[in-house]
Amino acid sequence: MAKKGILLVNLGTPDSPEVKDVRKYLDQFLMDERVIDIPKLNRTLLVKGIIVPFRSPKTSKLYKEIWNENGSPLLYYSELQAKMLQEKLGNEYQVELAMRYQNPSIEQALEKLKKGLVSSIKVIPLFPQYASASTGSVLQLVMELLSKWPTIPPVSFVNSFHDNELMLEIFADNAKKHGVENYDHVLFSFHGLPQRQMTKSDHTGKYCLKVNNCCDNYNDANKFCYSAQCHHTAKLLAQKLGLARENYSVCYQSRLGKEPWIQPYTTDVLKKLAEEGKKRLLVFSPAFVADCLETLYEITVEYNEEFKELGGEHVQLVESLNDDPRFIEALVEMSK
């Protein structure tokens, strides 16, 4: 019998932490029309003329801080997840890994599935919460590439898994290892996105940023909204940890540019908590299934230093899903 194809897709990473490879990565990433969703001419001038030339050397230094003997942590754990999933699924499946930006590419992975004569393809973007700039971009490129095939096998997609029970269980257990009771406050820090991308996802045109606390309740009006899914993930994790609402905050990191992004910003929340006399913070980053630049450096180093300068004592990262066998079980369920 023909095998069933599984395509795992994560965001991407430079081939190396050197400036030239970081420049290539940032150029491909930021030129994506779903990432910076402005007219192409404006996007080209902004990305190629300003952001990439000035940001590449700085970002290269940051990647060098997290690069290790295994190379890129994101790629290392993604490859491990694909290998472990293949072992769990067995010979009835063919698992391929791709990165939306850089290598291994989605096109290369799809070609491997084609050569494997798979009977179907299931695409699993490794982003728990749906966003146009991440999951949406993956799905669009996969459909564009497959549309050029003479024969297209049955294709299906995992849209999001922000409320996956096994994922929540791993994050909660990882937090318990640090002793949640030893911290003054818990942060659920998600990757930020421009507010305009949230309003675009509102199919009603009457809900996003027009209803008070529009993201607090996950419902039919906001079920495809990234921010609403983030809040829902945080709420479910808080319930698992027995956290009262006043003991945790939802915030957003990694802002780019000056226009309004989803709020509150993590940096603003750090300042507020320091002013309230909070000393020790436990920080989740549940938008990622593997530790990467945003967790290993932005939270562990940058936010830790920033919080200490504000009068705090320590910011502790809750480790990501990485190679936890339970996450592989979750991927098995999604695959089937």
Side-chain angles (χ1 to χ4, degrees):
M1 291 180 63
K3 296 181 179 182
K4 297 176 181 178
I6 304 296
L7 177 61
L8 300 180
V9 187
N10 213 321
L11 188 73
T13 183
D15 290 336
S16 83
E18 299 305 320
V19 175
K20 62 180 180 61
D21 287 324
V22 171
R23 185 182 293 117
K24 283 169 55 182
Y25 168 71
L26 289 178
D27 184 78
Q28 186 185 9
F29 174 36
L30 298 175
M31 279 302 295
D32 187 335
E33 64 184 0
R34 282 180 176 263
V35 173
I36 298 185
D37 52 335
I38 59 176
K40 186 174 182 179
L41 177 60
N42 295 352
R43 185 170 64 253
T44 302
L45 293 173
L46 177 64
V47 172
K48 295 182 180 293
I50 300 175
I51 298 178
V52 170
F54 289 97
R55 198 177 181 92
S56 297
K58 178 183 176 182
T59 304
S60 170
K61 291 179 182 178
L62 303 185
Y63 271 111
K64 287 177 181 177
E65 291 289 332
I66 67 163
W67 223 260
N68 56 39
E69 65 276 9
N70 296 313
S72 162
L74 177 67
L75 180 59
Y76 170 74
Y77 281 118
S78 298
E79 289 177 336
L80 198 51
Q81 289 164 357
K83 180 183 177 183
M84 294 170 71
L85 178 61
Q86 181 68 77
E87 290 172 354
K88 275 288 183 181
L89 289 173
N91 293 330
E92 294 179 15
Y93 290 81
Q94 179 178 338
V95 178
E96 297 295 342
L97 171 70
M99 295 289 168
R100 174 59 184 87
Y101 312 106
Q102 294 304 291
N103 298 302
S105 72
I106 291 177
E107 185 171 15
Q108 291 168 337
L110 287 174
E111 283 300 316
K112 287 181 180 179
L113 293 174
K114 183 199 284 186
K115 289 179 180 178
L117 304 179
V118 296
S119 60
S120 62
I121 297 175
K122 188 158 199 177
V123 183
I124 306 178
L126 294 171
F127 313 112
Q129 300 81 21
Y130 176 89
S132 171
S134 54
T135 304
S137 178
V138 168
L139 304 191
Q140 178 176 325
L141 181 57
V142 168
M143 289 187 283
E144 286 175 356
L145 291 169
L146 288 178
S147 70
K148 299 172 184 176
W149 287 15
T151 54
I152 302 173
V155 183
S156 59
F157 304 96
V158 172
N159 181 272
S160 70
F161 50 94
H162 67 280
D163 56 356
N164 183 276
E165 184 63 26
L166 287 170
M167 178 192 74
L168 297 170
E169 185 181 292
I170 298 165
F171 273 122
D173 285 350
N174 286 349
K176 290 173 184 176
K177 293 174 187 175
H178 297 288
V180 183
E181 67 280 0
N182 298 323
Y183 294 86
D184 302 318
H185 200 77
V186 173
L187 295 187
F188 296 101
S189 183
F190 295 87
H191 198 286
L193 287 172
Q195 283 186 357
R196 69 170 183 272
Q197 294 188 9
M198 299 305 97
T199 57
K200 283 182 178 180
S201 71
D202 179 9
H203 296 173
T204 71
K206 302 175 182 178
Y207 191 84
C208 182
L209 299 178
K210 295 178 181 178
V211 173
N212 287 336
N213 302 316
C214 58
C215 293
D216 282 355
N217 295 307
Y218 185 62
N219 54 56
D220 284 344
N222 63 14
K223 61 187 175 184
F224 295 119
C225 171
Y226 170 74
S227 182
Q229 291 189 1
C230 289
H231 275 261
H232 195 218
T233 298
K235 183 178 181 179
L236 294 173
L237 275 170
Q239 289 173 354
K240 280 193 170 295
L241 295 169
L243 291 174
R245 186 62 188 88
E246 64 270 17
N247 292 331
Y248 73 90
S249 301
V250 177
C251 49
Y252 299 88
Q253 63 187 82
S254 310
R255 183 186 177 197
L256 177 65
K258 296 182 179 180
E259 67 173 300
W261 279 40
I262 318 172
Q263 297 177 35
Y265 306 132
T266 302
T267 52
D268 291 344
V269 174
L270 290 175
K271 183 178 180 181
K272 176 177 176 291
L273 293 173
E275 290 173 348
E276 292 174 357
K278 301 291 191 291
K279 297 296 182 182
R280 294 172 57 79
L281 307 180
L282 188 64
V283 184
F284 289 81
S285 192
F288 302 98
V289 301
D291 281 315
C292 54
L293 187 67
E294 286 79 2
T295 65
L296 297 174
Y297 192 84
E298 192 168 358
I299 292 176
T300 304
V301 179
E302 287 186 350
Y303 289 154
N304 205 4
E305 292 176 353
E306 184 176 340
F307 189 56
K308 286 179 179 178
E309 289 175 2
L310 292 166
E313 293 178 0
H314 184 58
V315 169
Q316 175 62 54
L317 171 71
V318 175
E319 296 81 0
S320 193
L321 309 178
N322 296 332
D323 57 350
D324 193 299
R326 289 171 294 178
F327 180 53
I328 308 307
E329 288 296 340
L331 291 175
V332 168
E333 292 176 5
M334 293 182 218
S335 300
K336 294 181 176 181

